[in-house]
Amino acid sequence: MSGFFFVAHDDRGTPLLHPDVARLGLGAAVIAELLMAGYVDIRNDTVVVETFGCPAEPVAATLMSRLLDERNAMPVRDWLAYLRDPGQPDGDIYDQVAQQMRRTGLIRAERAWSLRRSKLYPPVDQNRAAWSWARISGCLDRRENLGKKDTVLGGLILATDLHSRILLGSASSLESKLRHHISAAPEAVRELLRHAENAVSAAVSTVA
């Protein structure tokens, strides 16, 4: 989740994505965290609760609570639509993630001299913020395997079209390499990333 937040902002903390696209990326990142930790699974395009445990991180714990509140399993696309909504009961997912990262000392808030936004969130440590995409770029260049978290992050970078902005080299070549790694990911991860990409495409068509 923090990895996607970092790559979705420049080194001054300025967002690189439309707010709706950023929310979808962050929402998918939170679902991915629950998926990789074994709290949920994705089967037949539906998020299925696997355990009644509670994650330690507040944002993931909040979503887990919502999942447990639902009597029936809901499709991935419905959860992404829910998390895209800044007016949902738990609050804007972007603000939730930013607040969590501020509390853990990963970012700081600065006043933005812009009519479009009130705050910027520059990283406290520039090297740490850049490490995720630098690591992915390096693995792709060296033709090394990506770990689970980097595969998910790479997929979210593709889904939100960030690969054309933050990764070094040809965007089409990077896309091809990332899709190769994603094709080898577990089915649940592939389903989540596919739904995230579809949701972003739909969102872009409505805000364009």
Side-chain angles (χ1 to χ4, degrees), residues 24-187:
L24 285 169
L26 289 169
V30 179
I31 295 173
E33 286 195 1
L34 295 177
L35 175 64
M36 289 187 290
Y39 290 102
V40 303
D41 194 9
I42 296 176
R43 297 193 291 271
N44 299 319
D45 301 314
T46 300
V47 181
V48 180
V49 172
E50 293 286 279
T51 176
F52 292 96
C54 183
E57 292 188 343
V59 178
T62 297
L63 179 56
M64 189 66 193
S65 178
R66 287 292 171 187
L67 285 160
L68 292 171
D69 285 344
E70 292 295 324
R71 293 186 177 182
N72 300 311
M74 288 172 53
V76 178
R77 65 176 181 272
D78 289 356
W79 282 113
L80 289 174
Y82 172 80
L83 293 167
R84 175 190 173 184
D85 180 8
Q88 49 109 339
D90 296 312
D92 190 333
I93 188 70
Y94 181 91
D95 292 339
Q96 290 183 56
V97 173
Q99 289 167 15
Q100 178 174 301
M101 292 178 67
R102 284 184 65 191
R103 286 194 297 268
T104 54
L106 295 176
I107 59 175
R108 61 181 183 276
E110 292 184 356
R111 182 178 178 182
W113 299 97
S114 168
L115 296 176
R116 298 182 62 185
R117 63 187 73 258
S118 60
K119 291 181 181 178
L120 298 178
Y121 293 106
V124 172
D125 185 335
Q126 294 283 357
N127 290 330
R128 181 171 184 174
W131 174 237
S132 293
W133 67 259
R135 184 176 62 242
I136 291 174
S137 295
C139 285
L140 293 177
D141 287 342
R142 296 188 298 272
R143 301 181 183 275
E144 296 175 354
N145 290 330
L146 297 179
K148 291 181 180 179
K149 289 185 177 181
D150 284 345
T151 298
V152 170
L153 179 56
L156 294 177
I157 287 171
L158 280 183
T160 55
D161 200 38
L162 278 168
H163 63 289
S164 62
R165 306 187 191 190
I166 64 168
L167 296 175
L168 301 176
S170 165
S172 60
S173 174
L174 290 167
E175 178 177 359
S176 176
K177 292 176 183 178
L178 282 171
R179 291 200 185 280
H180 171 73
H181 286 279
I182 293 167
S183 69
E187 183 177 357

